[in-house]
Amino acid sequence: MKKYGFGVDIGGTTCKIGLFETTGKLLEKWEIPTDTQEEGKNILPDVAASLSQKMKEKGIPQGEVEGIGIGIPGPVEANGVVPVCVNLGWKDMDVPKEMQSLMEGLPVKAGNDANVAALGEMWQGGGKGCKSLVMVTLGTGVGGGIIVHGQIVAGANGAGGEIGHITVNPHESIPCNCGRKGCLEQYASATGITRLAKEWLAQGQGESLLDQAGEVSAKSVFDAYKQQDKAAQEIVGKFARILGNALSNIACVTDPEVFVIGGGVSKAGAPLLEAVEVAYQEAAFSSCAGAKFALASLGNDAGIYGGVKMVLE
Amino acid sequence: MKKYGFGVDIGGTTCKIGLFETTGKLLEKWEIPTDTQEEGKNILPDVAASLSQKMKEKGIPQGEVEGIGIGIPGPVEANGVVPVCVNLGWKDMDVPKEMQSLMEGLPVKAGNDANVAALGEMWQGGGKGCKSLVMVTLGTGVGGGIIVHGQIVAGANGAGGEIGHITVNPHESIPCNCGRKGCLEQYASATGITRLAKEWLAQGQGESLLDQAGEVSAKSVFDAYKQQDKAAQEIVGKFARILGNALSNIACVTDPEVFVIGGGVSKAGAPLLEAVEVAYQEAAFSSCAGAKFALASLGNDAGIYGGVKMVLE
């Protein structure tokens, strides 16, 4: 094992880059803008220039770098090829091949950003010490990443871990962004929780702190929940039941050691985690009921941690 | 790679044993009774004696045997230890350790029988050529096995692939064998299909071939379905929708290349496969909608094929 590795998390506006020791220690992190002009043809050269510059600055020779692992905001095939990435303008981009030719042959791997973040949380975050994990990212949507035998489950079509699109309510009338109806994402994302709250409040079932909070949001719901607000308890209860049921079904597939909950909504912290864990335990198949629950702990750095971990295997 | 390997599928009444070439060719198969007396303490010695006898008979030296892979009818930890197996009377049985000491140190692996059968179907059966697969066994119950990166997903508690206990109907009033309510197994097993049929016929919605068929069964339902019987079409349609929806949710977790359908109910063949595939495609997240569907092709031999495959990795 060489001494250093790079993790890169390419987003639609910035690329996050981390220089790591292969022990897992993050030495330095920085960002560069993502240039999506001209079908994103400058993105990888820009990243490569930034990595080379850093190696020069730190006096790190090529021979001391284990490799470069890159997270991409879209589906990535198991070999690192990106068929289409709308956010970056890419089509049929062979990320390992392109990047390797820019970096004098250093080993390069690429994966979907949600899956890579899951690997990061397994390595140095909320799932540390585990080899099988389900990462649940509660943000504007619901993302996920599945780890089995310590490795990312990319899936045959790059759709491994697309748990936000598990159908949880076949009777839903409003469509999800994916065009189908009743996806987990419609209830368990920040947007989904806000919607559950508005529906509850519209029923006028009594006073609530949420009536005075101005614009209702996932954050205001969890703030009121922490103050034992009755309406917030009902709303969080419904959210937790839907998510807990979905996770209990996932457990019947890969039976993970731990569920790691991340994303903006997870900033609600321990009370959210506890509500979801209790709902999970009520719904779970008995063998799986003891799965651990943990909050993601790497925040926005999960992608660079997971990136470098990809090239350490 | 050595020339030979053994696959063993231990059941509650008989142990199936196969002698294979490591190329995948089944040379010979036979059965011995499973002696469950005295907490099943004779089971592994009986199997070992049978294997030694066969090696002697064929003149196969120890050095030409790659190993022995064993399927067990219960949960098996990733290291091959069986915490409890009610069917065999075992408690805390370290299968690899015990069997290895009986077979002069030959490599031994053990796995849950449904998972091992899935591996067999991947290697030489309905999923041949694929590295990611979901096996669905429609029998008295609904079993399953998940393969990712060419390997069994045993799960943290040996519950990987327990897809029969995915909750598909939270409003069910009748309990499943597992004690919970609304499991996939309650609708998609032979028992489940029979129940769907009885419920439909009790509504008296018109004449059906099933009214004349005597005792209704999954087989009589599919026989009538093949003759375009209206009631059977409704019943199979409901079965297929429930199963297709559940598989579309599993696809959002591991995104397999192929779903392989086996078990007694799958003897209904192509019409069953087509009904499930169509229902799956209607329900699936777009990226996964192209997953292949295949019938299991190894029948009761899937376990011995998967057994030997375990020791070839």
Short mmCIF file of all heavy atoms in Angstrom, two decimals, chain B residues 153-207:
data_model
loop_
_atom_site.label_atom_id
_atom_site.label_comp_id
_atom_site.label_asym_id
_atom_site.label_seq_id
_atom_site.Cartn_x
_atom_site.Cartn_y
_atom_site.Cartn_z
N VAL B 153 -25.18 -13.18 -1.26
CA VAL B 153 -25.35 -12.17 -0.22
C VAL B 153 -26.01 -12.86 0.97
O VAL B 153 -27.23 -13.01 1.03
CB VAL B 153 -26.22 -10.99 -0.71
CG1 VAL B 153 -26.40 -9.96 0.40
CG2 VAL B 153 -25.58 -10.33 -1.93
N ALA B 154 -25.19 -13.34 1.92
CA ALA B 154 -25.71 -14.09 3.06
C ALA B 154 -26.43 -13.16 4.04
O ALA B 154 -27.43 -13.55 4.66
CB ALA B 154 -24.58 -14.83 3.78
N GLY B 155 -25.94 -11.94 4.15
CA GLY B 155 -26.54 -10.99 5.09
C GLY B 155 -25.94 -11.10 6.47
O GLY B 155 -25.35 -12.12 6.84
N ALA B 156 -26.10 -10.02 7.24
CA ALA B 156 -25.49 -9.94 8.58
C ALA B 156 -26.09 -10.97 9.53
O ALA B 156 -25.44 -11.42 10.47
CB ALA B 156 -25.68 -8.54 9.15
N ASN B 157 -27.34 -11.38 9.28
CA ASN B 157 -28.02 -12.35 10.15
C ASN B 157 -28.44 -13.59 9.39
O ASN B 157 -29.36 -14.30 9.81
CB ASN B 157 -29.26 -11.70 10.78
CG ASN B 157 -28.94 -10.37 11.41
OD1 ASN B 157 -28.33 -10.32 12.46
ND2 ASN B 157 -29.33 -9.27 10.76
N GLY B 158 -27.81 -13.85 8.25
CA GLY B 158 -28.21 -14.99 7.43
C GLY B 158 -29.58 -14.81 6.79
O GLY B 158 -30.17 -15.76 6.29
N ALA B 159 -30.08 -13.57 6.77
CA ALA B 159 -31.42 -13.32 6.22
C ALA B 159 -31.38 -12.65 4.84
O ALA B 159 -32.40 -12.20 4.35
CB ALA B 159 -32.25 -12.49 7.18
N GLY B 160 -30.20 -12.63 4.21
CA GLY B 160 -30.13 -12.12 2.84
C GLY B 160 -31.02 -12.97 1.94
O GLY B 160 -31.01 -14.19 2.05
N GLY B 161 -31.81 -12.32 1.09
CA GLY B 161 -32.67 -13.06 0.17
C GLY B 161 -33.96 -13.60 0.78
O GLY B 161 -34.65 -14.40 0.14
N GLU B 162 -34.31 -13.16 1.98
CA GLU B 162 -35.59 -13.61 2.58
C GLU B 162 -36.75 -12.80 2.00
O GLU B 162 -37.56 -12.21 2.72
CB GLU B 162 -35.53 -13.46 4.11
CG GLU B 162 -34.74 -14.52 4.80
CD GLU B 162 -35.47 -15.88 4.88
OE1 GLU B 162 -36.60 -16.01 4.35
OE2 GLU B 162 -34.87 -16.80 5.45
N ILE B 163 -36.83 -12.82 0.67
CA ILE B 163 -37.76 -11.92 -0.01
C ILE B 163 -39.22 -12.31 0.18
O ILE B 163 -40.11 -11.50 -0.04
CB ILE B 163 -37.43 -11.82 -1.52
CG1 ILE B 163 -37.63 -13.17 -2.21
CG2 ILE B 163 -36.01 -11.31 -1.73
CD1 ILE B 163 -37.53 -13.08 -3.72
N GLY B 164 -39.47 -13.54 0.63
CA GLY B 164 -40.85 -13.94 0.92
C GLY B 164 -41.46 -13.13 2.06
O GLY B 164 -42.69 -13.08 2.20
N HIS B 165 -40.59 -12.46 2.83
CA HIS B 165 -41.10 -11.70 3.97
C HIS B 165 -41.04 -10.18 3.77
O HIS B 165 -41.11 -9.42 4.73
CB HIS B 165 -40.43 -12.18 5.25
CG HIS B 165 -40.75 -13.62 5.50
ND1 HIS B 165 -42.00 -14.04 5.88
CD2 HIS B 165 -40.03 -14.75 5.28
CE1 HIS B 165 -42.03 -15.36 5.94
NE2 HIS B 165 -40.85 -15.82 5.57
N ILE B 166 -40.91 -9.78 2.52
CA ILE B 166 -41.15 -8.37 2.18
C ILE B 166 -42.64 -8.10 2.38
O ILE B 166 -43.48 -8.90 1.97
CB ILE B 166 -40.74 -8.13 0.71
CG1 ILE B 166 -39.22 -8.11 0.58
CG2 ILE B 166 -41.36 -6.84 0.15
CD1 ILE B 166 -38.71 -7.95 -0.85
N THR B 167 -42.95 -7.00 3.05
CA THR B 167 -44.35 -6.64 3.28
C THR B 167 -44.92 -6.01 2.01
O THR B 167 -44.42 -4.99 1.54
CB THR B 167 -44.49 -5.65 4.44
OG1 THR B 167 -43.88 -6.22 5.60
CG2 THR B 167 -45.96 -5.35 4.74
N VAL B 168 -45.95 -6.64 1.45
CA VAL B 168 -46.55 -6.09 0.23
C VAL B 168 -47.96 -5.56 0.49
O VAL B 168 -48.52 -4.86 -0.35
CB VAL B 168 -46.60 -7.14 -0.90
CG1 VAL B 168 -45.19 -7.58 -1.30
CG2 VAL B 168 -47.44 -8.36 -0.53
N ASN B 169 -48.54 -5.91 1.64
CA ASN B 169 -49.89 -5.44 1.93
C ASN B 169 -50.05 -5.15 3.42
O ASN B 169 -50.38 -6.04 4.22
CB ASN B 169 -50.92 -6.49 1.50
CG ASN B 169 -52.33 -6.09 1.86
OD1 ASN B 169 -52.59 -4.94 2.21
ND2 ASN B 169 -53.26 -7.02 1.79
N PRO B 170 -49.81 -3.86 3.79
CA PRO B 170 -49.88 -3.52 5.21
C PRO B 170 -51.29 -3.64 5.79
O PRO B 170 -51.46 -3.57 7.01
CB PRO B 170 -49.39 -2.06 5.24
CG PRO B 170 -49.47 -1.56 3.85
CD PRO B 170 -49.43 -2.74 2.93
N HIS B 171 -52.29 -3.84 4.93
CA HIS B 171 -53.67 -3.92 5.41
C HIS B 171 -54.15 -5.35 5.61
O HIS B 171 -55.32 -5.59 5.91
CB HIS B 171 -54.60 -3.18 4.44
CG HIS B 171 -54.14 -1.80 4.13
ND1 HIS B 171 -54.05 -0.82 5.08
CD2 HIS B 171 -53.71 -1.23 2.97
CE1 HIS B 171 -53.57 0.29 4.54
NE2 HIS B 171 -53.36 0.07 3.25
N GLU B 172 -53.25 -6.33 5.42
CA GLU B 172 -53.65 -7.75 5.57
C GLU B 172 -54.09 -8.02 7.01
O GLU B 172 -53.51 -7.50 7.97
CB GLU B 172 -52.43 -8.63 5.21
CG GLU B 172 -52.65 -10.12 5.35
CD GLU B 172 -53.80 -10.63 4.48
OE1 GLU B 172 -53.60 -10.74 3.24
OE2 GLU B 172 -54.89 -10.88 5.01
N SER B 173 -55.12 -8.87 7.17
CA SER B 173 -55.58 -9.22 8.53
C SER B 173 -55.12 -10.61 8.97
O SER B 173 -55.06 -10.91 10.15
CB SER B 173 -57.11 -9.15 8.59
OG SER B 173 -57.66 -10.01 7.60
N ILE B 174 -54.77 -11.47 8.00
CA ILE B 174 -54.37 -12.84 8.32
C ILE B 174 -52.85 -12.90 8.51
O ILE B 174 -52.10 -12.35 7.70
CB ILE B 174 -54.79 -13.79 7.17
CG1 ILE B 174 -56.31 -13.75 7.01
CG2 ILE B 174 -54.30 -15.22 7.42
CD1 ILE B 174 -56.82 -14.40 5.74
N PRO B 175 -52.37 -13.54 9.58
CA PRO B 175 -50.91 -13.57 9.79
C PRO B 175 -50.17 -14.56 8.88
O PRO B 175 -50.70 -15.60 8.52
CB PRO B 175 -50.77 -14.00 11.25
CG PRO B 175 -52.05 -14.60 11.64
CD PRO B 175 -53.12 -14.14 10.70
N CYS B 176 -48.95 -14.19 8.53
CA CYS B 176 -48.01 -15.05 7.82
C CYS B 176 -47.40 -16.04 8.83
O CYS B 176 -47.52 -15.84 10.04
CB CYS B 176 -46.93 -14.15 7.22
SG CYS B 176 -45.59 -15.02 6.36
N ASN B 177 -46.75 -17.08 8.35
CA ASN B 177 -46.06 -18.02 9.24
C ASN B 177 -45.03 -17.33 10.12
O ASN B 177 -44.70 -17.83 11.19
CB ASN B 177 -45.35 -19.11 8.43
CG ASN B 177 -46.35 -20.08 7.83
OD1 ASN B 177 -47.42 -20.32 8.39
ND2 ASN B 177 -46.01 -20.64 6.68
N CYS B 178 -44.52 -16.19 9.65
CA CYS B 178 -43.48 -15.50 10.41
C CYS B 178 -44.07 -14.66 11.54
O CYS B 178 -43.32 -14.08 12.32
CB CYS B 178 -42.64 -14.61 9.49
SG CYS B 178 -43.45 -13.08 9.01
N GLY B 179 -45.40 -14.57 11.59
CA GLY B 179 -46.04 -13.81 12.66
C GLY B 179 -46.44 -12.41 12.25
O GLY B 179 -47.28 -11.78 12.91
N ARG B 180 -45.82 -11.89 11.17
CA ARG B 180 -46.19 -10.57 10.68
C ARG B 180 -47.34 -10.71 9.69
O ARG B 180 -47.83 -11.81 9.44
CB ARG B 180 -44.96 -9.90 10.06
CG ARG B 180 -43.93 -9.56 11.12
CD ARG B 180 -42.51 -9.58 10.61
NE ARG B 180 -42.26 -8.54 9.64
CZ ARG B 180 -41.97 -8.75 8.34
NH1 ARG B 180 -41.88 -9.99 7.86
NH2 ARG B 180 -41.75 -7.75 7.55
N LYS B 181 -47.80 -9.62 9.13
CA LYS B 181 -48.95 -9.67 8.24
C LYS B 181 -48.66 -8.99 6.90
O LYS B 181 -48.08 -7.91 6.88
CB LYS B 181 -50.15 -8.97 8.90
CG LYS B 181 -50.76 -9.79 10.03
CD LYS B 181 -51.85 -9.01 10.76
CE LYS B 181 -52.34 -9.83 11.96
NZ LYS B 181 -53.17 -9.00 12.86
N GLY B 182 -49.11 -9.62 5.81
CA GLY B 182 -48.99 -8.99 4.50
C GLY B 182 -47.71 -9.31 3.76
O GLY B 182 -47.33 -8.61 2.82
N CYS B 183 -47.01 -10.42 4.15
CA CYS B 183 -45.77 -10.81 3.48
C CYS B 183 -46.06 -11.30 2.05
O CYS B 183 -47.09 -11.92 1.79
CB CYS B 183 -45.09 -11.94 4.24
SG CYS B 183 -44.47 -11.44 5.85
N LEU B 184 -45.08 -11.09 1.16
CA LEU B 184 -45.16 -11.56 -0.23
C LEU B 184 -45.58 -13.02 -0.30
O LEU B 184 -46.39 -13.42 -1.14
CB LEU B 184 -43.79 -11.37 -0.90
CG LEU B 184 -43.64 -11.88 -2.34
CD1 LEU B 184 -44.61 -11.17 -3.27
CD2 LEU B 184 -42.20 -11.71 -2.83
N GLU B 185 -45.01 -13.83 0.59
CA GLU B 185 -45.29 -15.27 0.66
C GLU B 185 -46.80 -15.57 0.80
O GLU B 185 -47.25 -16.63 0.37
CB GLU B 185 -44.52 -15.82 1.86
CG GLU B 185 -44.75 -17.25 2.19
CD GLU B 185 -43.62 -17.81 3.06
OE1 GLU B 185 -42.45 -17.73 2.65
OE2 GLU B 185 -43.92 -18.32 4.15
N GLN B 186 -47.55 -14.64 1.39
CA GLN B 186 -48.99 -14.89 1.59
C GLN B 186 -49.79 -14.79 0.28
O GLN B 186 -50.97 -15.11 0.27
CB GLN B 186 -49.56 -13.91 2.62
CG GLN B 186 -49.03 -14.15 4.03
CD GLN B 186 -49.74 -13.26 5.03
OE1 GLN B 186 -49.30 -12.13 5.28
NE2 GLN B 186 -50.83 -13.73 5.59
N TYR B 187 -49.15 -14.33 -0.80
CA TYR B 187 -49.86 -14.13 -2.07
C TYR B 187 -49.20 -14.85 -3.24
O TYR B 187 -49.88 -15.23 -4.18
CB TYR B 187 -49.95 -12.63 -2.40
CG TYR B 187 -50.42 -11.80 -1.23
CD1 TYR B 187 -49.49 -11.25 -0.36
CD2 TYR B 187 -51.77 -11.63 -0.96
CE1 TYR B 187 -49.91 -10.53 0.75
CE2 TYR B 187 -52.19 -10.92 0.14
CZ TYR B 187 -51.26 -10.36 1.00
OH TYR B 187 -51.67 -9.66 2.09
N ALA B 188 -47.88 -15.00 -3.17
CA ALA B 188 -47.16 -15.47 -4.36
C ALA B 188 -46.67 -16.91 -4.25
O ALA B 188 -46.10 -17.44 -5.19
CB ALA B 188 -45.98 -14.54 -4.64
N SER B 189 -46.91 -17.56 -3.12
CA SER B 189 -46.57 -18.99 -2.97
C SER B 189 -47.70 -19.84 -3.54
O SER B 189 -48.78 -19.32 -3.88
CB SER B 189 -46.39 -19.31 -1.50
OG SER B 189 -47.62 -19.07 -0.82
N ALA B 190 -47.49 -21.15 -3.62
CA ALA B 190 -48.57 -22.05 -4.03
C ALA B 190 -49.78 -21.87 -3.12
O ALA B 190 -50.93 -21.75 -3.59
CB ALA B 190 -48.07 -23.50 -3.97
N THR B 191 -49.53 -21.80 -1.83
CA THR B 191 -50.59 -21.58 -0.84
C THR B 191 -51.28 -20.24 -1.08
O THR B 191 -52.51 -20.13 -1.00
CB THR B 191 -49.98 -21.57 0.58
OG1 THR B 191 -48.83 -22.41 0.61
CG2 THR B 191 -50.98 -21.98 1.62
N GLY B 192 -50.48 -19.23 -1.36
CA GLY B 192 -51.01 -17.88 -1.57
C GLY B 192 -51.89 -17.81 -2.82
O GLY B 192 -52.96 -17.19 -2.80
N ILE B 193 -51.44 -18.43 -3.89
CA ILE B 193 -52.23 -18.41 -5.14
C ILE B 193 -53.55 -19.15 -4.92
O ILE B 193 -54.62 -18.69 -5.36
CB ILE B 193 -51.41 -19.05 -6.29
CG1 ILE B 193 -50.19 -18.18 -6.60
CG2 ILE B 193 -52.28 -19.20 -7.55
CD1 ILE B 193 -49.15 -18.87 -7.48
N THR B 194 -53.50 -20.26 -4.22
CA THR B 194 -54.72 -21.01 -3.91
C THR B 194 -55.70 -20.13 -3.13
O THR B 194 -56.90 -20.10 -3.40
CB THR B 194 -54.36 -22.26 -3.07
OG1 THR B 194 -53.37 -23.01 -3.77
CG2 THR B 194 -55.58 -23.12 -2.83
N ARG B 195 -55.15 -19.38 -2.18
CA ARG B 195 -55.98 -18.49 -1.39
C ARG B 195 -56.59 -17.36 -2.25
O ARG B 195 -57.79 -17.07 -2.15
CB ARG B 195 -55.12 -17.89 -0.28
CG ARG B 195 -55.85 -16.93 0.59
CD ARG B 195 -54.88 -16.27 1.58
NE ARG B 195 -55.34 -14.93 1.85
CZ ARG B 195 -54.56 -13.95 2.29
NH1 ARG B 195 -53.28 -14.17 2.51
NH2 ARG B 195 -55.06 -12.77 2.52
N LEU B 196 -55.76 -16.76 -3.11
CA LEU B 196 -56.29 -15.72 -4.02
C LEU B 196 -57.43 -16.31 -4.86
O LEU B 196 -58.46 -15.66 -5.09
CB LEU B 196 -55.20 -15.20 -4.95
CG LEU B 196 -54.06 -14.36 -4.36
CD1 LEU B 196 -53.08 -13.95 -5.46
CD2 LEU B 196 -54.59 -13.12 -3.64
N ALA B 197 -57.25 -17.55 -5.30
CA ALA B 197 -58.26 -18.21 -6.15
C ALA B 197 -59.55 -18.44 -5.38
O ALA B 197 -60.65 -18.13 -5.87
CB ALA B 197 -57.71 -19.53 -6.68
N LYS B 198 -59.42 -18.94 -4.17
CA LYS B 198 -60.63 -19.20 -3.37
C LYS B 198 -61.39 -17.91 -3.08
O LYS B 198 -62.62 -17.88 -3.13
CB LYS B 198 -60.25 -19.92 -2.06
CG LYS B 198 -59.89 -21.39 -2.30
CD LYS B 198 -59.56 -22.11 -1.01
CE LYS B 198 -59.31 -23.60 -1.31
NZ LYS B 198 -58.64 -24.29 -0.20
N GLU B 199 -60.63 -16.85 -2.78
CA GLU B 199 -61.28 -15.56 -2.52
C GLU B 199 -62.03 -15.07 -3.75
O GLU B 199 -63.15 -14.57 -3.67
CB GLU B 199 -60.23 -14.52 -2.09
CG GLU B 199 -59.74 -14.70 -0.67
CD GLU B 199 -58.59 -13.75 -0.31
OE1 GLU B 199 -58.22 -12.91 -1.17
OE2 GLU B 199 -58.08 -13.88 0.80
N TRP B 200 -61.40 -15.24 -4.92
CA TRP B 200 -62.03 -14.79 -6.15
C TRP B 200 -63.30 -15.60 -6.44
O TRP B 200 -64.36 -15.04 -6.74
CB TRP B 200 -61.06 -14.90 -7.33
CG TRP B 200 -61.69 -14.48 -8.62
CD1 TRP B 200 -62.27 -15.29 -9.55
CD2 TRP B 200 -61.87 -13.15 -9.08
NE1 TRP B 200 -62.78 -14.55 -10.58
CE2 TRP B 200 -62.55 -13.23 -10.31
CE3 TRP B 200 -61.52 -11.89 -8.58
CZ2 TRP B 200 -62.89 -12.09 -11.06
CZ3 TRP B 200 -61.85 -10.77 -9.32
CH2 TRP B 200 -62.53 -10.88 -10.54
N LEU B 201 -63.19 -16.91 -6.32
CA LEU B 201 -64.32 -17.79 -6.64
C LEU B 201 -65.48 -17.56 -5.66
O LEU B 201 -66.64 -17.64 -6.04
CB LEU B 201 -63.88 -19.26 -6.63
CG LEU B 201 -62.84 -19.61 -7.72
CD1 LEU B 201 -62.33 -21.03 -7.52
CD2 LEU B 201 -63.43 -19.44 -9.12
N ALA B 202 -65.13 -17.25 -4.41
CA ALA B 202 -66.17 -17.02 -3.39
C ALA B 202 -67.02 -15.81 -3.73
O ALA B 202 -68.16 -15.67 -3.27
CB ALA B 202 -65.52 -16.85 -2.02
N GLN B 203 -66.44 -14.92 -4.56
CA GLN B 203 -67.21 -13.72 -4.95
C GLN B 203 -68.26 -14.05 -6.02
O GLN B 203 -69.12 -13.22 -6.33
CB GLN B 203 -66.27 -12.64 -5.50
CG GLN B 203 -65.38 -12.03 -4.44
CD GLN B 203 -64.35 -11.09 -5.05
OE1 GLN B 203 -64.56 -10.55 -6.13
NE2 GLN B 203 -63.24 -10.91 -4.37
N GLY B 204 -68.18 -15.26 -6.60
CA GLY B 204 -69.17 -15.72 -7.57
C GLY B 204 -69.33 -14.79 -8.76
O GLY B 204 -70.43 -14.37 -9.11
N GLN B 205 -68.20 -14.46 -9.43
CA GLN B 205 -68.26 -13.49 -10.53
C GLN B 205 -68.43 -14.13 -11.90
O GLN B 205 -67.97 -13.60 -12.90
CB GLN B 205 -66.99 -12.65 -10.53
CG GLN B 205 -66.70 -12.02 -9.18
CD GLN B 205 -66.22 -10.60 -9.30
OE1 GLN B 205 -66.37 -9.99 -10.35
NE2 GLN B 205 -65.69 -10.06 -8.24
N GLY B 206 -69.01 -15.30 -11.95
CA GLY B 206 -69.21 -15.94 -13.26
C GLY B 206 -68.61 -17.33 -13.29
O GLY B 206 -67.89 -17.73 -12.38
N GLU B 207 -68.92 -18.06 -14.37
CA GLU B 207 -68.45 -19.44 -14.46
C GLU B 207 -66.94 -19.49 -14.69
O GLU B 207 -66.35 -18.60 -15.29
CB GLU B 207 -69.15 -20.15 -15.63
CG GLU B 207 -70.57 -20.51 -15.27
CD GLU B 207 -71.19 -21.44 -16.31
OE1 GLU B 207 -70.45 -21.92 -17.19
OE2 GLU B 207 -72.40 -21.67 -16.23
#
